[in-house]
């Protein structure tokens, strides 16, 4: 990698000192600062007003206790988080993650990435992220509801449709959003539709929001492939994960003629040479909430399951890889295996799924590489479209909403591409995304004064 400009090194050192023991946050800041050397060389005024230091420091961090009663009458305690990272461009906006690995450093890295991602969409949204170390696996509907209600009993006072607007992420889908929004509505005695996105259509959701992140990543990679005069048609594709982002990535890639031959969850992966059966995958993962091995069992001879201890989904040969599970799921070793097997494009559906070493392997090998803050921005962009519909008490068709999403993804692609060229690194979408996102936030912050 390029390394960090010496003028910016003290900033990273201070971030590490102030946020000790938060490796994911350090990693995310490191990657952005690596790109900013070229910005301050061209525009030294960005070093003034402590703009970069301020962008690395969250505006507000809320940490709270979440007590709830399980189905056996036992009191359980979890920890809740909301990091309100940056509101220069609009109300804080970003998802809630429920996963046992959640801690303040992970939420901070996600909020930091979200700030630049949201800027890249061109929509009026700031950056934030939240969640809990609650593990939803194996919990009943009643337990999920009581947990969501307890979480919102604290969080509601920090939210608002002009203040902070959460949505889903890992472990948080339509069911959880319904319970959180319901409790918010009760506590505030206000039907404030625009305070949450990812809502069901029945109470103010947007068409195409469920599909938006996976579809958006597919559009972004399509635009990258087009710069090389090629498309998905006939290509082998591997998608990791089997949750919201993975499922709708698979759906859209298949509609463009790509053949998705593998997907995964934390227990392992399935390989299906005749192409993933999307209806069966949705039934197993979305409806029944079962493990991915169940897909292979029900699919029969066509598919087989490989447990996580026996190998990685990235061992499966493909031309396009779309990591859509979680951070640091694709290592340098995985990247070398993919390059050896002929991968030509990688689109990050998840946030920071590729380790820094993996990104370097791809870029050195000339693989088209789309960083998550650009490639997976379709989800939050469509959340902003949901906010627009809520504000105007309107509801758009699927076609209209998807057309807006497609245009936004095309614009993000073209902005990243053009910015990389402008800063002397043609084809480097990481640099393009970091610089374009940073400049939008920094310009607004400069105009707003030292606040
Ligand atoms: P879901 O909860 O719907 O699905 C997550 C998937 O990733 C599951 O298959 C899960 O497997 C797998 N996974 C999670 N943690 C791990 C882990 N530690 N190791 C291996 N596999 C894991 O979440 P989403 O699809 O919504 O989110 C996936 C990624 O996309 C996340 O990085 C999220 O931040 C990002 N993202 C999501 C957006 C959205 O709109 N939902 C928008 C932009 C980015 P298992 O069931 O076994 O845990
Ligand atoms: O990481 C993300 O962009 C999301 N989880 C979606 C955020 C949102 O507010 O829709």
């Amino acid at each position: 990698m390029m390394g960090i400009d010496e003028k910016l090194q003290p900033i990273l050192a201070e971030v590490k000192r102030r946020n000790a023991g938060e490796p994911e946050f350090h990693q995310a800041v490191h990657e952005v600062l690596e790109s900013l050397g070229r910005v301050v060389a061209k525009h030294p005024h960005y070093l003034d007003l402590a703009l970069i230091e301020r962008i690395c420091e969250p505006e507000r961090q809320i940490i709270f206790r979440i007590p709830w009663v399980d189905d056996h009458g036992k009191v359980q305690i979890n920890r809740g988080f909301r990091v309100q990272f940056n509101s220069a461009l609009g109300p804080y906006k970003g998802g809630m993650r429920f996963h046992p690995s959640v801690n303040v450093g992970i939420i901070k890295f996600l909020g930091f990435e979200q700030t630049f991602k949201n800027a890249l969409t061109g929509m009026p949204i700031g950056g934030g992220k939240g969640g809990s170390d609650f593990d939803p696996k194996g919990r009943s509907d009643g337990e999920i509801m009581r947990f969501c209600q307890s979480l919102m009993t604290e969080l509601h006072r920090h939210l608002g449709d002009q203040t902070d607007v959460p949505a889903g992420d890992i472990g948080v889908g339509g069911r959880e959003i319904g319970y959180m929004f319901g409790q918010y509505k009760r506590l505030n005695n206000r039907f404030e539709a625009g305070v949450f996105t990812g809502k069901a259509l029945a109470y103010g959701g947007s068409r195409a929001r469920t599909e938006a992140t996976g579809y958006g990543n597919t559009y972004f990679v399509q635009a990258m492939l087009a710069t090389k005069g090629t498309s998905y048609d006939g290509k082998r594709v591997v998608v990791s994960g089997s949750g919201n982002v993975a499922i709708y990535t698979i759906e859209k890639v298949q509609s463009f003629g790509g053949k998705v031959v593998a997907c995964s969850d934390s227990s392992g992966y399935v390989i299906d040479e005749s192409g993933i059966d999307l209806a069966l995958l949705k039934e197993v993962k979305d409806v029944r909430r079962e493990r991915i091995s169940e897909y292979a069992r029900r699919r029969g001879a066509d598919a087989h399951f490989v447990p996580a201890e026996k190998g990685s989904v990235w061992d499966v040969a493909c031309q396009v890889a779309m990591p859509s599970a979680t951070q640091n799921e694709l290592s340098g070793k995985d990247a070398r295996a993919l390059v050896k097997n002929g991968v030509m494009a990688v689109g990050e559906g998840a946030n920071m799924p590729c380790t820094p070493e993996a990104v370097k392997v791809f870029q050195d090998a000339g693989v088209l590489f789309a960083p998550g803050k650009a490639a997976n921005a379709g989800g939050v962009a469509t959340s902003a479209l949901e906010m627009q519909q809520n504000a105007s008490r309107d509801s758009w068709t699927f076609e209209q909403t998807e057309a807006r999403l497609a245009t936004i993804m095309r614009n993000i692609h073209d902005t990243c591409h053009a910015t990389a060229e402008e800063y002397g690194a043609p084809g480097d979408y990481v640099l393009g995304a970091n610089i374009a996102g940073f400049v939008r936030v920094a310009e607004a912050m400069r105009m707003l004064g030292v606040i």
Side-chain angles (χ1 to χ4, degrees), residues 78 83 122 216 232 296 381:
N78 286 98
V83 174
Y232 282 107

Side-chain angles (χ1 to χ4, degrees), residues 101-119:
S101 62
V102 164
N103 58 44
V104 70
I106 286 180
I107 298 300
K108 227 184 265 175
F109 117 66
L110 290 163
F112 182 75
E113 291 282 292
Q114 196 82 48
T115 300
F116 302 104
K117 179 194 307 189
N118 294 4

